[in-house]
C-alpha cells in the first residue's frame, strides 16, 4: 500500500518538467519515510508516461485512459484521482503547483476530508512528522505546517523537494486504475487546445531569462527583451504588473502567483523587486537588475545592478552579445 500518491496529467504520454520534479520530490520523501509511492498518470494515452515517471522514482504507475478524460482534465481527472485516493488510502497526495494542481488539490482535499497545504516550497520529514513550508504574508515569512488529518494533500512548487543526487529509479508494476469514470453532462468539455507559441526554451528549462516589468512602459518593450533573450539563447518572462497591463501573456508571469524559475542568469528589466515577484526568481544563480531608480528594492537582491533607462541598456547589451556571437 503506497504512502504517497502523486498525480500528473499525461495526455499522449507527455509529462511536464514541473510534474516530473514533483514526482521526484515525492519519491525522495517516500524513501525517507520508508513508505511506498505511486504515480497516477491521467489522460488519453497516458500509459506511455510510465517510463518517464519511473525514471524519476515512481514505484507503481497507475494510469487511467478513460474516455471521459478526453473532454479535458478538470472534472474527470479529479474524479479519477479521488477514486485512486479512496482505493489506495495514501497518507499524502502530492500534485504540482501548476494550474491543474491548483484546481484539483483543494477540491480533492475536501472530498477526502484531508488537510491541504498549497504552494509548498519545502517538504521534509522530521522525527517521523511530515512538515510542509510555504510562504506567507506576500513572501515575507515562512510558515511550517504539519497536517492533523490522516491524509494530507499538498501542491509542490518547483524546488520543494531536496535534491540528493541522481533520482532513484522506480520499478513497480504499471497497471490500469480500473475505476470507470462516466462523463457527466454538467462537466465542462474541452472545445479546443491551443499550445503556447514560444520560440526557444520554455521558462522552466531556460538557462537565461530576460524578464520585463511595468518599467518597460508598453508591450513594445517585450520585443526588445525578446531580441536580447534570443541572442542569449534564453526566454522572456514578465512581472505581474506587465501581465496585468496586457503587455505579456499570463504564461510568462514569474512570482508568487506565476511560475517559479531557476535559470543561471535572470535579467530583471524595469522590475521594482516586490517580494511576490522575487519568490519566483530567487533560485536564479545570478540576478542582474536594470532599473532607473537607484533605490529600487531589486538592487538588494541583484548580484549586478545597472542604473539607467532600460532602452539604452538593453540595446547596448543586445548589440554586444550579438557582436560577441558574430551575428
Ligand atoms: C497576492 C499577490 C500576488 C502577487 N503575485 C505576483 C507575481 O506572481 N508576480 C509578480 O511579479 N508580482 C506579483 N504581485 C504584484 C507585486 O506585488 C508587484 O505589484 C509587482 O511585482 C510589480 O511589478 P513591477 O516591478 O513590474 O512594477 P513596479 O513595481 O511598478 O516597478 C516598475 C519599476 O520599473 C522602473 N522603471 C520605470 N521606468 C524605467 C525605465 N525607463 N528604465 C528602467 N527602469 C524603469 C521603476 O523604477 C520601478 O522600479 C502579487 C501581488 C499580490 C498582492
Amino acid at each position: 500500500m503506497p504512502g504517497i500518491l502523486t498525480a500528473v496529467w499525461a495526455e499522449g504520454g507527455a509529462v511536464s518538467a514541473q510534474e516530473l520534479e514533483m514526482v521526484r520530490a515525492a519519491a525522495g520523501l517516500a524513501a525517507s519515510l520508508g513508505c511506498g509511492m505511486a504515480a497516477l498518470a491521467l489522460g488519453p494515452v497516458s500509459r506511455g508516461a510510465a517510463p518517464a515517471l519511473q525514471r524519476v522514482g515512481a514505484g507503481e504507475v497507475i494510469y487511467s485512459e478513460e474516455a471521459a478524460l478526453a473532454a479535458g482534465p478538470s472534472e474527470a481527472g479529479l474524479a479519477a484521482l479521488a477514486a485512486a485516493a479512496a482505493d489506495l488510502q495514501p497518507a499524502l497526495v502530492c500534485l504540482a503547483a501548476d494550474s491543474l494542481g491548483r484546481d484539483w488539490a483543494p477540491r480533492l482535499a475536501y472530498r477526502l476530508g484531508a488537510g491541504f497545504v498549497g504552494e509548498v516550497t519545502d517538504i521534509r520529514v522530521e522525527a517521523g512528522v511530515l512538515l510542509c513550508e510555504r510562504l506567507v504574508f506576500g513572501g515575507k515569512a515562512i510558515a511550517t505546517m504539519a497536517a492533523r488529518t490522516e491524509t494530507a494533500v499538498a501542491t509542490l512548487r518547483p524546488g520543494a523537494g531536496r535534491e540528493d543526487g541522481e533520482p532513484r529509479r522506480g520499478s513497480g508494476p504499471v497497471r490500469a486504475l480500473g475505476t470507470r469514470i462516466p462523463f457527466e453532462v454538467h462537466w465542462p468539455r474541452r472545445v479546443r487546445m491551443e499550445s503556447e507559441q514560444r520560440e526557444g526554451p520554455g521558462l522552466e528549462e531556460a538557462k537565461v531569462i530576460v524578464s520585463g516589468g511595468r518599467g518597460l512602459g508598453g508591450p513594445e518593450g517585450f520585443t526588445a527583451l525578446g531580441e536580447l533573450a534570443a541572442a542569449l539563447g534564453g526566454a522572456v518572462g514578465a512581472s505581474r504588473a506587465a501581465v496585468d497591463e496586457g503587455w505579456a501573456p499570463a504564461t510568462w508571469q514569474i512570482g508568487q502567483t506565476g511560475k517559479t524559475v531557476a535559470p543561471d542568469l535572470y535579467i530583471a528589466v524595469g522590475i521594482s523587486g516586490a517580494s511576490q515577484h522575487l519568490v519566483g526568481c530567487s533560485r536564479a544563480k545570478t540576478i542582474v537588475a536594470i532599473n532607473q531608480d537607484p533605490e529600487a528594492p531589486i538592487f538588494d537582491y541583484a548580484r549586478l545592478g545597472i542604473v539607467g533607462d532600460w532602452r539604452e541598456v538593453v540595446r547596448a547589451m543586445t548589440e554586444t552579445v550579438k557582436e560577441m556571437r558574430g551575428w
Side-chain angles (χ1 to χ4, degrees), residues 213-215 238-242 253-258 270-274 276-277 290-293 296 308-311:
R214 192 173 2 230
S239 73
R240 177 158 154 183
Q253 186 182 315
I254 289 161
Q256 189 183 325
T257 42
I271 291 177
S272 58
Q276 295 91 350
H277 184 81
I290 303 168
N291 200 302
Q292 67 180 10
D293 174 8
D309 182 2
W310 71 267
R311 292 173 194 82

Side-chain angles (χ1 to χ4, degrees), residues 63-66 79-80 82-84 87 175-182:
Y63 63 91
S64 176
E65 300 176 335
E66 286 284 309
D87 180 27
R175 65 170 175 94
L177 176 62
T179 305
R180 276 224 58 225
I181 312 291

Side-chain angles (χ1 to χ4, degrees), residues 15-16 18 21 26 28-29 41 86 90 98 100 116 141 144 147 176 181 185 189 191 206 214 228 232 259 261 294 323:
V15 186
S16 73
Q18 187 177 346
E21 193 180 330
L29 257 186
D98 55 12
L100 199 54
F116 167 61
T144 305
I181 312 291
V185 282
R189 187 184 291 272
V191 186
R214 192 173 2 230
L228 176 58
L232 290 165
K259 290 185 174 160
V261 293
E323 217 173 277

Side-chain angles (χ1 to χ4, degrees), residues 13-317:
V15 186
S16 73
Q18 187 177 346
E19 285 176 318
L20 287 174
E21 193 180 330
M22 176 277 296
V23 173
R24 184 184 168 178
L29 257 186
S32 41
L33 282 166
C35 67
M37 184 267 188
L40 178 65
L42 298 166
V45 207
S46 52
R47 183 183 191 162
L53 292 168
Q54 291 190 321
R55 264 197 299 279
V56 290
E60 185 175 17
V61 175
I62 307 163
Y63 63 91
S64 176
E65 300 176 335
E66 286 284 309
L69 291 162
S74 185
E75 301 301 321
L78 178 61
L81 177 51
D87 180 27
L88 299 169
Q89 302 278 314
L92 174 69
V93 181
C94 281
L95 299 167
D98 55 12
S99 54
L100 199 54
R102 287 173 183 141
D103 176 17
W104 281 341
R107 297 159 73 205
L108 177 72
Y110 176 76
R111 289 186 191 195
L112 300 177
F116 167 61
V117 192
E119 307 297 316
V120 171
T121 53
D122 187 36
I123 188 162
R124 60 181 188 276
V125 179
E126 269 179 28
V129 180
L130 184 70
L131 299 175
C132 293
E133 282 187 359
R134 60 173 314 224
L135 299 171
V136 290
F137 301 119
K140 291 193 174 71
I142 297 170
T144 305
M145 307 170 103
R148 283 185 296 185
T149 48
E150 265 179 38
T151 303
V153 178
T155 57
L156 269 48
R157 290 182 72 103
R162 300 286 156 103
E163 299 276 332
D164 56 351
E166 282 300 296
R168 48 191 79 68
R169 213 191 148 87
S171 60
V174 178
R175 65 170 175 94
L177 176 62
T179 305
R180 276 224 58 225
I181 312 291
F183 185 79
E184 305 212 5
V185 282
H186 60 273
W187 284 355
R189 187 184 291 272
R190 185 164 67 195
V191 186
R192 68 168 194 275
M193 270 264 284
E194 277 178 40
S195 304
E196 187 190 4
Q197 300 298 323
R198 188 188 261 282
E199 278 174 25
L203 279 171
E204 291 87 347
E205 303 88 56
K207 297 271 177 247
V208 177
I209 293 175
V210 185
S211 205
R214 192 173 2 230
L216 293 188
E220 321 73 54
F222 280 94
T223 312
L225 298 199
E227 241 187 275
L228 176 58
L232 290 165
V236 181
S239 73
R240 177 158 154 183
V243 169
D244 287 349
E245 295 280 1
W247 303 342
T251 49
W252 291 12
Q253 186 182 315
I254 289 161
Q256 189 183 325
T257 42
K259 290 185 174 160
T260 304
V261 293
D264 290 342
L265 173 62
Y266 187 82
I267 307 179
V269 187
I271 291 177
S272 58
S275 58
Q276 295 91 350
H277 184 81
L278 291 166
V279 295
C281 62
S282 56
R283 290 172 64 219
K285 286 195 186 132
T286 301
I287 296 179
V288 172
I290 303 168
N291 200 302
Q292 67 180 10
D293 174 8
E295 302 296 324
I298 188 85
F299 288 129
D300 295 339
Y301 302 91
R303 180 130 168 235
L304 291 168
I306 304 168
V307 179
D309 182 2
W310 71 267
R311 292 173 194 82
E312 289 166 28
V313 181
V314 168
R315 193 182 313 119
M317 280 174 104

